[in-house]
Amino acid sequence: MKIGIIVDGDAESQALFNLTKNIQIENTQIIKPVYADIQPKASFEQIAKKALKSISLLRGKNADKIIVFIDREDSETCPPEIKNNLEAAFKKIADEEIQVVVKNRKFENWLCADIEALKKMPKRFSVTNAFENRIKNNKADSVKDAEKLLDTITIPKESQYHKRKDAQNITAKQNILNIACNSRSFRKFLRIISHPSYSGQSKNPRNDCK
């Protein structure tokens, strides 16, 4: 099976490739993620229309399944409702069975989710106990502004998280199962692609999560 992924951030598409290229699932190939200029706060129909070109591109690469990633950001709408409404819009606008993964709340929540990866970058991030307590025990998705949280551990202190450079460097060191331990929305992605660790359920992290 070939899986295509559409993301709502250009920098994110490059960083996400670092993760997807290392996912090994029997008889499954994940095509390099593509960017579509979709705005999470647009209507579901507008989002579906914006993604049409990217859908055609991935179908041209023989994608059997297409997944659209979109940020929840500060929306108070629950992720399942966003997912269902957007999937319905794709069916209506594009007559396509597109699956949706809602990043809760954004890509940076997934970057925070693997604490060990951040610890491997001591010249750039100083991981504090306060940071760990916000993330571990499956709490990464509950952080409302993950970019600001990353700002609190950047080195030097006066610097800020860089959406392109830091994202690529972090994902280059991340382990997908570590991310899954702390992010339910990432586990949903793994379930959709039938990753053996979460093919049955994605509500709870594996028992070996620390």
Side-chain angles (χ1 to χ4, degrees):
M1 173 180 285
K2 281 191 173 183
I3 298 174
I5 296 174
I6 298 171
V7 298
D8 55 354
D10 183 32
E12 178 181 330
S13 68
Q14 300 300 314
L16 191 62
F17 178 58
N18 286 334
L19 295 180
T20 58
K21 69 181 180 182
N22 293 322
I23 295 177
Q24 301 295 321
I25 302 174
E26 188 175 2
N27 299 320
T28 298
Q29 176 189 350
I30 301 178
I31 301 169
K32 184 176 181 181
V34 299
Y35 163 67
D37 184 19
I38 52 180
Q39 302 300 318
K41 294 185 179 181
S43 71
F44 298 115
E45 289 77 12
Q46 288 173 326
I47 292 171
K49 288 178 181 178
K50 279 285 189 178
L52 288 178
K53 184 176 180 181
S54 297
I55 291 172
S56 296
L57 174 65
L58 290 170
R59 291 300 187 200
K61 294 183 178 182
N62 300 315
D64 301 296
K65 177 184 291 187
I66 294 177
I67 305 170
V68 172
F69 286 178
I70 191 162
D71 288 341
R72 181 186 181 193
E73 293 193 342
D74 58 356
S75 173
E76 293 306 314
T77 305
C78 64
E81 185 175 346
I82 295 172
K83 170 187 178 297
N84 292 338
N85 285 332
L86 187 48
E87 288 180 347
F90 278 117
K91 184 63 178 176
K92 177 182 177 181
I93 300 296
D95 195 26
E96 288 266 15
E97 297 289 347
I98 305 297
Q99 293 185 277
V100 174
V101 170
V102 181
K103 292 166 288 179
N104 198 7
R105 294 196 171 249
K106 58 177 74 173
F107 186 55
E108 281 73 21
N109 289 73
W110 291 0
L111 297 182
C112 289
D114 185 354
I115 297 170
E116 295 306 310
L118 296 169
K119 287 182 176 180
K120 292 177 182 177
M121 305 171 64
K123 293 183 179 180
R124 180 55 178 156
F125 298 107
S126 178
V127 179
T128 62
N129 288 335
F131 180 93
E132 290 197 46
N133 289 335
R134 293 284 301 277
I135 300 300
K136 63 184 182 181
N137 297 322
N138 196 26
K139 296 198 294 276
D141 287 359
S142 67
V143 176
K144 289 191 174 182
D145 194 332
E147 288 184 55
K148 284 189 177 180
L149 183 60
L150 285 167
D151 285 344
T152 66
I153 61 170
T154 55
I155 298 174
K157 288 185 177 181
E158 62 271 14
S159 68
Q160 292 182 316
Y161 157 78
H162 192 279
K163 202 169 185 69
R164 183 178 295 274
K165 184 178 179 181
D166 283 330
Q168 291 220 36
N169 290 336
I170 293 169
T171 52
K173 298 183 182 301
Q174 283 188 308
N175 179 299
I176 61 167
L177 294 182
N178 287 347
I179 302 171
C181 280
N182 292 315
S183 171
R184 182 177 181 181
S185 59
F186 189 78
R187 293 195 297 274
K188 288 183 178 180
F189 163 56
L190 295 183
R191 177 167 54 82
I192 287 176
I193 64 174
S194 299
H195 190 282
S197 294
Y198 290 100
S199 59
Q201 65 85 36
S202 57
K203 181 179 180 180
N204 300 308
R206 299 194 322 175
N207 292 333
D208 60 354
C209 286
K210 298 177 181 180

